[in-house]
Amino acid sequence: MQRFEYHRAADTAAAIALAARAPEPHYLGGGTNLVDLMRENIERPRTIIDVTALSSAIEARPDGGILIGAGAKNTAVAEHRAIRERFPMLARAILAGASAQIRNMATVGGNLLQRTRCYYFYDDAAHCNKRKPGTGCDAVEGFNRIHAILGASPSCVATHPSDMCVALAALDAIVHVEGPGGRRSLPFGAFHRLPGDRPDLETALGPAELITAVELPAGAAGLRSTYRKVRDRASYAFALVSVAAALRIEDGKLAEVRLALGGVAHKPWRAATAEAALRGKPAGADAFRAAAEAELAAARPLSGNAFKIELAKRTIAATLSELAGARP
Amino acid sequence: MSALAQTSWRPDGASDPLATRHGLIGAPVSRIDGPLKVAGQARFAAEVSMPGLLHAGFVYSSVARGRIKAIDTAAAEALPGVALVMTHRNAPRMKPPALFGTTPEAAGASDLPIMQDAEIHWNGQTVAVVLAETREQAEEAAALVAVEYESLPAVTAFAAAKAHAHPPESVLGEPAVLEIGDAEAALAAAAVKVDLTFTTPRQNHNAIELHAATIAWEGDRLTIHDASQLVTMTAATIAQVFDLDPKQVRVLSPYVGGGFGGKCLWDHQILGAAAARLAGRPVRVVLSREGVFRLVGGRTQTEQRVALAATADGKLDALIHTGVAAMTAHNACPEQFTFPARHLYAARTFKLVQQVAEMDMLANTFMRAPGESIGTFALECAIDELAEKLGADPVAFRRGIEPEKDPTSSHEFSTRHLNEAYAAGAERFGWAKRSATPRARRDGEWLIGMGCATGTYPYYRMPGGAARITLTADGRARVAAAAHEMGMGTATVQSQVAAERLGLPLDRVSFALGDTELPPSPVAGGSNQTAAIGAAVIAAHTELVKALLKLAGNASPLAGLSTDEVEGRDAGLGKRGDAARFESYASILRRAGRDEVTVQAEAPMPLELQKWSMHSTAAQFCEVRVSESTGEVRVARFLGSFDCGRILNAKTARSQFRGGIVMGLGLALTEETLFDERSGRIVNATMAEYHVPVHLDVPEIEVIWTDIPDPRTPMGARGIGEIGITGVGAAVANAVYNATGKRIRDLPITLDKLL
Ligand SMILES: Cc1cc2nc3c(=O)[nH]c(=O)nc-3n(C[C@H](O)[C@H](O)[C@H](O)COP(=O)(O)OP(=O)(O)OC[C@H]3O[C@@H](n4cnc5c(N)ncnc54)[C@H](O)[C@@H]3O)c2cc1C
């Protein structure tokens, strides 16, 4: 780890001002990802700006929406009564991630910005376009069992590792940010990027921009929803494939469907094609499988992860069936 | 309370009387080191403080084979706190360590020179060591060392290495090729047979405690506080490397936070000592988790063939187990996967062939029942497949091929009660409820299946051990041997045994270990330590009794008795079978005007192993649930039924067996070291991506045992360290088959293989 200066920000404005002028700055949340990466010399900030003292409030609004301060701990979000009642998939997604100890430290802002778990990104001796643009990608022909099947590019096949973000994608969350240029709000789908030829650029955040809050709009509140995570051991492993799903059935037909996938792409993957295929259709195993097929039609396997395509289809179908109360 | 054991378990004698005693033997005594550890007072190697201590940071090579062309240490040296950077250019001259197995005291994991030249032999080899005032400074500086390599062609692909596979000179002293009859011909002629290929991956031990050593020189005397499972051999080998007398090197290791074969002598202790000498200051080395993967070898990968031919009446006509393990040209660890097949089943013909394929990689090493763990995976899956072809229940089928004598050596078994273990285990597990046809049970999307497999592990008793007993006039005994406490309860169990032998209450006996100033001990490996120390303590006890009888003299009620006629009981010596003739230790010593008496003796050579075939066995039972949607496997229940001779402490034994089984679940389902065959580099050198089982992966594990003493071993015990892991991989795989109808012959059984 390279030595750094540590600052604890008293308020948002001070944090942003410092980030705008200090050498090689990095905001610090719970540190569960950033500090690991610093130890491995993958991140080498000179200035650390601790933002955990900024808002961690969770505000349940009367309209059904919820505003979560970026400093809220993952555990606090998962345990919050209004979140469990209105958006159960989010609580489940968080609890499916990491370990209790890590969730107690991790913040919402940090969770959004946690970095990929690609082996080669983590190894200074490997080629990685995300870590060192233009050096190549050792994963494309290396160990890529855990890598992307959707939206990848020749320069990067990494996935976004978050569980929480998969639920946020399905819930159409809004990310509130503030930077030297002022405040703005980004729809969740526009927050993370696909790799293209700049996999080092992972989000829409500008320099020194700070996440201040994540908003859950009322729209998806109260839907029947869940999160299913498939991984290599029963707990404490990142998703090979995960599914966040919510639906509303009226007269046996799918009046509303929300579906997002984790572990498959460089960003939490909103399954818009499958949603469109299902909307208005009668709920049932065949329809679910067909929608999954439609969503995964664009999938491109690497040498070691073709299984993920079938796994994603099955997990989508099983999760929707369970939600709809249909037999798998 | 008990007669002298002398050396009577040997071919010429009777068994250790303790083998059939109750009292403290077998009692579920809690670990005496438990309170210290819970209170954080057990001091581990990385916690020893010394004035002027420097901390080490390591720089690892990023090529598999080549030469260092240039190495720039200026930026590292310029950082505040940095004392020095050691590279091959300034490292002290050292001899390569003698390779494990080449002499009784050799502990070298490989015999490559360590930082003596510019040559790179594996991806991850240390190219520089930074010493600084803090660990943070040392690691920051290490990242600034710039190395330029000239790469040379390297063999980093198993397939390429396999093309040149050859049998090693020996497999731990056994022949690499063992043939009885013409097994291939028998196979070709058989009506019912299987001929299968199994593959097993690389794995790493991943003990919780990182490898660490705190090292100081005083002139030519070297002290190493190590995390070690072979202190005596480490001291001897380090002495050889630095050209010292073994007496000049002291290794202390009172507590080890998990070993499993990995806490032996690797480059980090030697480099730490070299750097300490260069700096003229003490040094602490604590490898990072990545560092452990780069510098400490693990289990190698194998490809194994098991072919079995059955006769019409369900006997084995041929047993073929062959295969290749990756190894290096600089070590001798061929992963003895054919060992189970040498002893487990009766067959008319055998063909057992081990080969090694040399690769440019870190030396592989002993890990969690090397050989037997993955050898039983292949053999016991094949047995299951053959039983199915014969339409036989796998337990009944095994009963039918149970040998009367060792099938390849023809030696008598010292004891063997595998059938009893199977019967008791099957009964308790509810094996009769298993459906012979796969996919017969389900619970929603979860398919449920049961499997079983045999576990086996040899009895070893390595030579070279000694023990010391000091008996004091207040009726206490201090027993000591260099020995090792890696968390299995060595001091606890040895105190129990010594107390029972001496006829003292447990709280009057202490057992000191983990220090080369104590009488030497062999490696705590091969699950041999309990027997090895036990034998040394028996020898010392005989000496003690001799000394006491002499001190007792003619005024004692013991006068005229020989060592064979007395036993330790009620804090003194008494004539066997005669309650009247007795004198307490306190009385003997007081009368002789002595505060204490100290004796030391060496264990006799393990001659028992030349006469008998000595093996522990186990019947492992498993129930799994496999998601039909996702292929996820969850182990629902597990039961291990063990035949390991006498169990000395029911509590520590149960933990040991359970721990082994948990490791077996990892081997079966989750653990794999990813070795990138392009670069020869391990890419998941982290606990986040190297998956050991977590709590949720581990179900209720039941453990039972026969507790039948082995009359040919000290205390009737056979050592239980490693057997727990053996057979587990196959039991899981066979259960997965019973659940899903899919045979997975490639470990670990990850969900993608079941989709
Ligand atoms: C062993 C292990 C297993 C894990 N398993 C899982 C898992 O299964 N599923 C899962 O989802 N996650 C998992 N995680 C990841 C964990 O969820 C993240 O590490 C955590 O959410 C990051 O939050 P943090 O507050 O600690 O972030 P930090 O490490 O503090 O920061 C992460 C990044 O976010 C930036 N940042 C933090 N706050 C802000 C802000 N307000 N505005 C702008 N930038 C900010 C930092 O600069 C940094 O770049 C695991 C982590 C570990 C170590």
Side-chain angles (χ1 to χ4, degrees):
Chain A
M1 187 187 295
Q2 171 178 280
R3 69 197 59 207
F4 55 87
E5 247 180 53
Y6 172 90
H7 301 269
R8 192 167 169 82
D11 55 49
T12 304
I16 294 165
L18 184 57
R21 67 178 150 78
E24 297 168 56
H26 232 97
Y27 293 126
L28 176 73
T32 60
N33 187 219
L34 180 58
V35 176
D36 273 4
L37 289 164
M38 288 164 66
R39 283 211 191 96
E40 306 280 337
N41 284 302
I42 305 303
E43 302 266 24
R44 300 173 63 81
R46 296 251 172 228
T47 312
I48 286 288
I49 306 162
D50 184 339
V51 295
T52 50
L54 310 187
S55 173
S56 58
I58 300 175
E59 190 191 318
R61 292 178 172 158
D63 72 346
I66 297 180
L67 188 70
I68 307 169
K73 302 292 188 192
N74 286 191
T75 298
V77 179
E79 285 179 352
H80 196 275
R81 185 171 181 141
I83 288 174
R84 292 199 341 250
E85 282 172 5
R86 296 177 198 177
F87 307 102
M89 75 155 73
L90 178 58
R92 285 184 195 168
I94 292 171
L95 292 177
S99 65
Q101 293 87 339
I102 290 174
R103 296 193 297 267
N104 288 344
M105 285 298 290
T107 62
V108 166
N111 194 314
L112 259 61
L113 292 181
Q114 64 174 296
R115 309 206 62 192
T116 183
R117 292 283 159 170
C118 172
Y119 314 113
Y120 302 97
F121 172 71
Y122 257 82
D123 183 1
D124 215 7
H127 301 107
C128 174
N129 289 319
K130 181 183 283 301
R131 187 162 33 75
K132 284 205 187 98
T135 56
C137 171
D138 274 348
V140 170
E141 282 168 4
F143 284 106
N144 51 36
R145 185 173 166 275
I146 61 172
H147 287 69
I149 48 173
L150 287 164
S153 74
S155 65
C156 183
V157 294
T159 60
H160 193 268
S162 170
D163 291 299
M164 182 180 88
C165 290
V166 183
L168 294 179
L171 296 172
D172 284 322
I174 296 161
V175 186
H176 295 286
V177 305
E178 191 171 337
R183 294 184 189 167
R184 52 189 190 124
S185 300
L186 298 161
F188 204 80
F191 184 77
H192 294 102
R193 296 178 72 253
L194 287 177
D197 55 8
R198 288 299 305 275
D200 54 316
L201 302 178
E202 295 176 347
T203 68
L205 282 184
E209 252 183 332
L210 178 74
I211 301 172
T212 55
V214 170
E215 183 182 342
L216 305 173
L223 288 180
R224 205 189 296 175
S225 78
T226 194
Y227 185 75
R228 177 155 179 177
K229 178 175 179 180
V230 183
R231 48 188 145 176
D232 274 328
R233 60 183 168 190
S235 172
Y236 209 22
F238 291 91
L240 290 168
V241 163
S242 68
V243 173
L247 47 77
R248 184 160 52 84
I249 299 175
E250 273 171 22
D251 305 328
K253 297 217 170 77
L254 292 158
E256 189 173 351
V257 188
R258 287 164 178 270
L259 195 64
L261 308 178
V264 296
H266 196 257
K267 59 186 283 188
W269 189 264
R270 183 72 182 261
T273 309
E275 287 179 7
L278 288 171
R279 216 161 280 132
K281 297 270 168 50
D286 292 345
F288 296 147
R289 176 74 198 190
E293 298 275 0
E295 186 65 46
L296 274 300
R300 294 290 169 268
L302 300 161
S303 53
N305 70 357
F307 77 96
K308 274 192 175 187
I309 298 178
E310 177 62 17
L311 181 63
K313 291 176 188 171
R314 291 192 191 187
T315 311
I316 291 171
T319 310
L320 290 173
S321 292
E322 184 199 322
L323 265 189
R327 279 190 52 78
Chain B
M1 285 200 289
S2 85
L4 293 195
Q6 308 227 13
T7 50
S8 49
W9 68 88
R10 288 188 305 171
D12 51 346
S15 61
D16 182 351
L18 250 53
T20 49
R21 291 206 66 84
H22 292 283
L24 285 169
I25 302 297
V29 175
S30 292
R31 291 243 304 268
I32 55 182
D33 49 329
L36 275 182
K37 285 183 176 166
V38 172
Q41 285 164 354
R43 200 178 59 173
F44 288 79
E47 299 172 322
V48 178
S49 55
M50 289 181 181
L53 194 64
L54 288 169
H55 299 259
F58 284 71
V59 184
Y60 308 109
S61 86
S62 56
V63 300
R65 183 95 184 83
R67 253 173 236 119
I68 299 170
K69 259 205 313 207
I71 184 159
D72 183 353
T73 56
E77 281 156 349
L79 273 194
V82 173
L84 62 82
V85 181
M86 183 174 80
T87 68
H88 67 282
R89 294 182 310 217
N90 61 345
R93 293 301 93 190
M94 298 176 270
K95 296 204 178 116
L99 183 61
F100 188 97
T102 53
T103 73
E105 306 214 296
S110 93
D111 58 5
L112 284 169
I114 299 170
M115 207 175 266
Q116 298 297 295
D117 53 38
E119 299 289 313
I120 302 296
H121 297 275
W122 79 89
N123 195 326
Q125 178 183 327
T126 310
V127 293
V129 176
V130 180
L131 293 186
E133 300 294 335
T134 69
R135 179 163 179 193
E136 289 73 20
Q137 290 167 336
E139 288 184 346
E140 179 180 17
L144 297 180
V145 173
V147 191
E148 226 185 289
Y149 301 96
E150 178 196 338
S151 274
L152 294 172
V155 181
T156 50
F158 188 50
K162 234 171 43 186
H164 306 284
H166 59 88
E169 250 170 59
S170 91
V171 180
L172 308 182
E174 306 268 332
V177 178
L178 199 163
E179 291 196 68
I180 298 174
D182 190 342
E184 294 288 2
L187 182 72
V192 183
K193 58 188 157 189
V194 295
D195 192 345
L196 308 164
T197 302
F198 298 87
T199 47
T200 65
R202 291 160 192 269
Q203 295 158 354
N204 282 73
H205 310 79
N206 277 312
I208 289 182
E209 180 199 28
L210 297 162
H211 288 61
T214 307
I215 303 163
W217 290 88
E218 260 178 89
D220 270 343
R221 301 187 71 85
L222 177 61
T223 302
I224 304 183
H225 297 267
D226 198 7
S228 174
Q229 50 192 104
L230 35 55
V231 288
T232 304
M233 294 162 73
T234 295
T237 307
I238 294 221
Q240 171 253 320
V241 166
F242 287 95
D243 245 333
L244 303 168
D245 186 289
K247 290 199 190 65
Q248 292 174 296
V249 182
R250 181 177 182 190
V251 177
L252 299 100
S253 185
Y255 303 105
V256 183
F260 323 125
K263 291 274 171 62
C264 294
L265 178 60
W266 292 90
D267 289 7
H268 65 282
Q269 297 105 318
I270 293 169
L271 288 168
R277 177 162 256 191
L278 203 57
R281 287 172 63 179
V283 165
R284 177 179 299 160
V285 174
V286 183
L287 294 183
S288 64
R289 184 61 64 180
E290 180 196 353
V292 177
F293 277 90
R294 304 260 175 260
L295 288 193
V296 179
R299 193 194 306 284
T300 193
Q301 73 186 107
T302 70
E303 185 181 293
Q304 304 174 47
R305 171 187 176 218
V306 180
L308 305 170
T311 61
D313 58 347
K315 306 284 179 208
L316 283 181
D317 207 40
L319 196 173
I320 298 173
H321 194 163
T322 64
V324 188
M327 208 174 79
T328 76
H330 317 286
N331 71 325
C333 200
E335 192 76 33
Q336 57 271 33
F337 54 79
T338 60
F339 276 16
R342 296 175 191 222
H343 313 288
L344 269 184
Y345 299 119
R348 191 179 62 82
T349 63
F350 284 88
K351 178 182 172 189
L352 309 172
V353 181
Q354 292 238 180
Q355 298 201 87
V356 292
E358 274 132 30
M359 295 180 68
D360 291 305
M361 61 182 204
L362 169 60
N364 61 300
T365 195
F366 306 107
M367 173 172 160
R368 308 181 192 156
E372 276 79 9
S373 49
I374 55 171
T376 51
F377 166 66
L379 178 61
E380 292 299 295
C381 286
I383 290 277
D384 200 75
E385 297 203 30
L386 185 65
E388 190 193 25
K389 281 204 168 172
L390 289 165
D393 175 83
V395 174
F397 175 58
R398 286 183 177 88
R399 204 179 303 127
I401 53 175
E402 174 73 9
E404 275 171 18
K405 287 196 288 189
D406 187 294
T408 57
S409 75
S410 296
H411 286 156
E412 300 283 338
F413 292 117
S414 55
T415 55
R416 175 157 154 142
H417 301 282
L418 177 59
N419 282 345
E420 287 94 316
Y422 259 112
E427 162 79 31
R428 189 141 184 113
F429 191 71
W431 180 252
K433 289 196 208 101
R434 168 181 173 270
S435 155
T437 22
R439 303 180 63 87
R441 271 178 78 197
R442 69 158 68 227
D443 171 13
E445 71 173 62
W446 295 88
L447 300 164
I448 302 171
M450 287 189 199
C452 71
T454 300
T456 181
Y457 198 79
Y459 164 83
Y460 290 113
R461 187 167 70 76
M462 301 190 190
R468 182 161 72 217
I469 305 177
T470 298
L471 189 69
T472 55
D474 60 354
R476 293 176 186 276
R478 299 195 303 271
V479 186
H484 315 88
E485 175 65 271
M486 287 125 65
M488 63 286 220
T490 309
T492 311
V493 170
Q494 293 297 341
S495 299
Q496 273 174 272
V497 171
E500 186 70 28
R501 210 176 277 293
L502 290 160
L504 288 173
L506 184 55
D507 63 1
R508 293 292 168 106
V509 177
S510 67
F511 190 88
L513 48 58
D515 185 347
T516 51
E517 304 236 300
L518 303 173
S521 291
V523 57
S527 305
N528 98 111
Q529 184 170 254
T530 304
I533 300 176
V537 171
I538 288 172
H541 183 233
T542 305
E543 290 306 309
L544 178 70
V545 172
K546 271 190 209 156
L548 287 169
L549 286 177
K550 213 160 155 196
L551 289 175
N554 290 331
S556 168
L558 303 170
L561 293 178
S562 74
T563 49
D564 286 342
E565 292 171 285
V566 296
E567 62 188 352
R569 68 178 189 234
D570 303 331
L573 286 184
K575 179 168 195 247
R576 287 156 71 178
D578 182 349
R581 293 187 72 181
F582 172 84
E583 184 170 11
S584 73
Y585 298 132
S587 163
I588 297 173
L589 290 179
R590 231 177 291 121
R591 202 152 28 77
R594 296 282 291 267
D595 290 335
E596 58 178 50
V597 55
T598 297
V599 295
Q600 178 166 334
E602 269 177 39
M605 290 300 287
L607 300 180
E608 66 273 26
L609 281 159
Q610 291 175 13
K611 174 143 185 212
W612 287 288
S613 173
M614 302 179 74
H615 299 269
S616 288
T617 52
Q620 308 270 30
F621 294 88
C622 175
E623 181 175 298
V624 298
R625 298 163 67 86
V626 183
S627 164
E628 207 176 10
S629 305
T630 62
E632 288 161 290
V633 178
R634 300 283 179 261
V635 179
R637 284 193 303 137
F638 204 98
L639 181 143
S641 176
F642 294 90
D643 178 51
C644 298
R646 193 71 201 280
I647 296 303
L648 300 175
N649 177 326
K651 197 173 201 173
T652 53
R654 191 163 273 123
S655 294
Q656 196 73 14
F657 287 132
R658 284 211 180 107
I661 290 167
V662 172
M663 290 175 177
L665 297 179
L667 173 143
L669 296 172
T670 58
E671 291 187 51
E672 177 169 15
T673 301
L674 302 176
F675 179 89
D676 193 319
E677 293 206 330
R678 298 168 299 177
S679 59
R681 193 165 174 88
I682 293 170
V683 305
N684 61 338
T686 152
M687 293 293 281
E689 298 299 339
Y690 180 97
H691 293 144
V692 298
V694 296
H695 283 93
L696 264 182
D697 292 300
V698 179
E700 179 73 30
I701 295 174
E702 215 181 325
V703 171
I704 57 178
W705 50 75
T706 58
D707 213 17
I708 300 170
D710 186 326
R712 308 303 171 191
T713 68
M715 291 90 67
R718 257 196 317 249
I720 58 167
E722 289 160 275
I723 187 160
I725 188 174
T726 69
V728 177
V732 173
N734 294 338
V736 165
Y737 172 73
N738 187 243
T740 64
K742 290 193 177 114
R743 293 280 185 191
I744 308 301
R745 304 189 189 97
D746 172 44
L747 291 181
I749 305 171
T750 46
L751 60 90
D752 44 310
K753 297 171 188 170
L754 287 162
L755 281 182

